[in-house]
Amino acid sequence: MSTPIPTLASAPPDVVRAAYMELVVTDLQASRDFYVDVLGLHVTEEDGDAVYLRSLEEFIHHNLVLRKGPVAAVAAFAYRVRTPEDLDRAVAFYTELGCRVERRAEGFTKGVGDSVRVEDPLGFPYEFFYEVQHVERLTWSYDVHSPGELVRIDHFNQVTPDVPRAVKYMEDLGFRVTEDIQDEAGTTYAAWMRRKPTVHDTAMTGGDGPRMHHVAFATHEKHNIIAICDKLGALRRSDAIERGPGRHGVSNAFYLYLRDPDGHRVEIYTQDYYTGDPDNPVVTWDVHDNQRRDWWGNPVVPSWYTDASPVLDLDGNVQPLTARTDDSEMAVTIGADGFSYTRKDDTEHGFKLGAQL
């Protein structure tokens, strides 16, 4: 049983949204080619060590930093906060939790000012910032729009061994659960949590962690995702597609999962729903329901459950993993002893494409 994370006297910072991720990549040019030439993110600034990218509708300096390094990993999950004073709250909150906290008035990346980075109780490198450099929002620059345009960063997905422990900590940080996956025994396999009024700014997925499962960018419509698939095919890079395109039951989103040159997972995401009412109900899915992960009942590829990116501490070292001891979602649904259903009351199940997984 994991040690509970205490609820604090200190007020948490007021988080507005997931705002950017800092990725360490081993081949900066190959990663730049993937995110700019293939996915169409826009370069705000670059040098020999890093590339700063933003999505179409963004006005802050970047949504993704690609930084050259020896080990492919995540250096920061960064959140925008509502006021400069929220950085003081972040320092107090995480100091009371006993976490390592570092604050830089000049920021940790170009284009971002006074910032706080912490090694949070789950082992993730979180950043909180308010002050940013504004850049041109490209919404009206139709001459640079692509058929598969990525319009904004949407969310992170984090792998952690004890999902209820993670949920309780994130609720103390001010996040709210919108959807989760459970079984009859009450085991929680994943939870989606939000600050902005959509399905999530981050999700907690059960597994050995801390690791980063994926970072997600939104498009306007599902046809934009199909355009990305067509482009990957034309470039003979369709092997970058890990899963999809398809429709999730959880979140209702139309999705595509890609792997970048270092194996970092990127989701392209569209058509989730509004969650901003104070009494927005939590949607709980049965772990054995095929349609939770894929509305069309297609199987999830095993790599989607097993593979994830390491994360770094504030010194740039890879964080060690803690093994999940609760049941694995892969094992209880597609593993040797697992089962799942499309119609819950069916007693016989015929052949289904992918059942051999």
Side-chain angles (χ1 to χ4, degrees):
M1 191 74 175
S2 302
T3 304
I5 299 169
T7 297
L8 306 179
S10 299
D14 187 355
V15 173
V16 175
R17 61 172 172 127
Y20 83 86
M21 176 170 281
E22 182 178 343
L23 282 180
V24 179
V25 299
T26 58
D27 185 330
L28 188 59
Q29 186 61 51
S31 293
R32 186 194 189 280
D33 291 347
F34 179 79
Y35 286 100
V36 177
D37 297 340
V38 178
L39 294 187
L41 287 173
H42 301 274
V43 177
T44 302
E45 194 170 349
E46 60 186 318
D47 55 37
D49 296 316
V51 182
Y52 299 83
L53 304 173
R54 71 184 190 276
S55 51
L56 182 79
E57 296 179 350
E58 190 58 80
F59 66 88
I60 71 172
H61 187 267
H62 56 263
N63 299 129
L64 185 68
V65 180
L66 306 175
R67 190 175 303 284
K68 186 177 180 180
V71 178
V74 179
F77 300 75
Y79 294 97
R80 188 95 192 266
V81 295
R82 197 165 303 279
T83 69
E85 292 73 29
D86 283 300
L87 298 183
D88 298 328
R89 296 185 184 97
V91 170
F93 183 84
Y94 283 99
T95 299
E96 188 179 345
L97 277 174
C99 297
R100 182 178 173 187
V101 178
E102 185 175 341
R103 185 170 185 174
R104 293 186 187 175
E106 72 280 12
F108 293 85
T109 67
K110 291 182 179 181
V112 176
D114 189 11
S115 306
V116 173
R117 283 194 179 182
V118 305
E119 293 172 15
D120 84 354
L122 308 178
F124 291 98
Y126 266 20
E127 177 178 313
F128 303 92
F129 70 95
Y130 174 79
E131 181 184 333
V132 292
Q133 176 185 336
H134 285 203
V135 293
E136 180 188 5
R137 177 178 267 155
L138 298 172
T139 302
W140 299 274
S141 299
Y142 288 99
D143 54 317
V144 303
H145 293 200
S146 69
E149 193 71 45
L150 306 184
V151 296
R152 60 185 174 275
I153 190 169
D154 190 83
H155 62 266
F156 311 131
N157 188 303
Q158 303 169 237
V159 182
T160 189
D162 187 334
V163 175
R165 180 175 184 261
V167 166
K168 190 264 182 189
Y169 149 65
M170 293 298 287
E171 287 177 331
D172 288 346
L173 188 56
F175 286 68
R176 294 184 61 180
V177 175
T178 57
E179 303 196 27
D180 62 13
I181 296 174
Q182 298 187 28
D183 64 16
E184 292 179 349
T187 301
T188 303
Y189 295 85
W192 285 255
M193 308 192 74
R194 63 93 176 169
R195 286 294 298 172
K196 69 182 185 303
T198 62
V199 172
H200 57 319
D201 288 276
T202 197
M204 295 295 171
T205 295
D208 299 350
R211 293 181 296 163
M212 186 274 287
H213 191 274
H214 64 263
V215 58
F217 288 87
T219 65
H220 279 144
E221 253 288 2
K222 57 182 178 292
H223 67 78
N224 303 119
I225 291 177
I226 301 300
I228 292 171
C229 294
D230 283 340
K231 184 176 183 180
L232 287 163
L235 295 171
R236 292 199 173 269
R237 298 192 64 167
S238 60
D239 54 348
I241 298 174
E242 179 186 35
R243 182 180 166 209
R247 173 80 66 182
H248 285 311
V250 174
S251 82
N252 188 57
F254 197 82
Y255 70 84
L256 176 70
Y257 290 98
L258 306 172
R259 304 291 286 271
D260 80 1
D262 279 296
H264 295 307
R265 185 181 287 106
V266 183
E267 182 183 16
I268 315 301
Y269 181 97
T270 193
Q271 298 182 334
D272 64 348
Y273 58 90
Y274 172 77
T275 62
D277 282 15
D279 57 348
N280 181 71
V282 175
V283 178
T284 294
W285 294 81
D286 177 2
V287 71
H288 297 294
D289 185 347
N290 271 325
Q291 292 185 281
R292 75 199 186 284
R293 291 292 191 184
D294 203 309
W295 190 244
W296 304 326
N298 294 324
V300 182
V301 294
S303 63
W304 194 89
Y305 284 121
T306 59
D307 296 358
S309 298
V311 303
L312 303 180
D313 65 19
L314 298 188
D315 294 320
N317 301 311
V318 173
Q319 288 278 34
L321 299 184
T322 299
R324 178 172 169 85
T325 56
D326 288 344
D327 289 340
S328 152
E329 184 177 349
M330 177 176 169
V332 302
T333 56
I334 65 172
D337 299 321
F339 73 92
S340 56
Y341 62 82
T342 301
R343 292 168 297 276
K344 192 169 186 177
D345 297 328
D346 282 359
T347 56
E348 294 184 7
H349 301 277
F351 174 80
K352 183 177 67 177
L353 181 65
Q356 70 275 14
L357 295 176

